[in-house]
Amino acid sequence: MIGAGLMCFALAACGKQGPDAGAAGTDGGRIECAIGAKTDWTRDCVAERKGEVLTLRHADGGFRRFHIVKDGRGLVPADGAEQATIDIAGDRQIDVTVGDARYRLPATIAGVSR
């Protein structure tokens, strides 16, 4: 997991035009995800941002909801007891893992020299 002091990011694909933005990005808000143990990455999830809440919807109807926070953590789960881990996954991307669900999100990462 990234240290709180290193990571402060803005979700590039989830930029909002107003207080309530629907599906983000130019690809209908689609993001890469791997839902379930030992599954491959697919582009089957949809990211939706409404204010400071990010909802990641699965193809099977399931979803995860996160609060976007500005304290260096980036995202925290809005529901449930499972904690999220966030790792840098390359240039301008992060991997968010909660339970056996993994999501790859575009991000602007501050405090990391590239």
Side-chain angles (χ1 to χ4, degrees):
M1 178 151 165
I2 306 288
L6 289 178
M7 194 163 110
C8 177
F9 65 91
L11 295 170
C14 302
K16 54 184 178 176
Q17 293 86 27
D20 298 322
T26 58
D27 190 16
R30 295 221 174 265
I31 61 164
E32 289 183 70
C33 59
I35 308 303
K38 299 181 182 179
T39 58
D40 293 327
W41 289 95
T42 63
R43 200 163 182 82
D44 291 339
C45 291
V46 176
E48 298 174 346
R49 180 173 176 179
K50 191 170 196 174
E52 297 304 313
V53 176
L54 177 67
T55 303
L56 303 177
R57 298 192 182 279
H58 308 166
D60 66 2
F63 64 93
R64 294 276 185 171
R65 195 175 7 245
F66 299 89
H67 289 289
I68 300 168
V69 295
K70 296 177 174 62
D71 64 359
R73 293 177 292 167
L75 297 173
V76 294
D79 306 316
E82 290 182 288
Q83 294 299 309
T85 59
I86 301 172
D87 295 298
I88 296 174
D91 193 31
R92 299 187 177 158
Q93 288 187 329
I94 58 168
D95 283 347
V96 178
T97 303
V98 180
D100 63 359
R102 296 175 292 148
Y103 309 94
R104 185 158 290 149
L105 299 168
T108 300
I109 303 165
V112 178
S113 58
R114 296 246 172 224

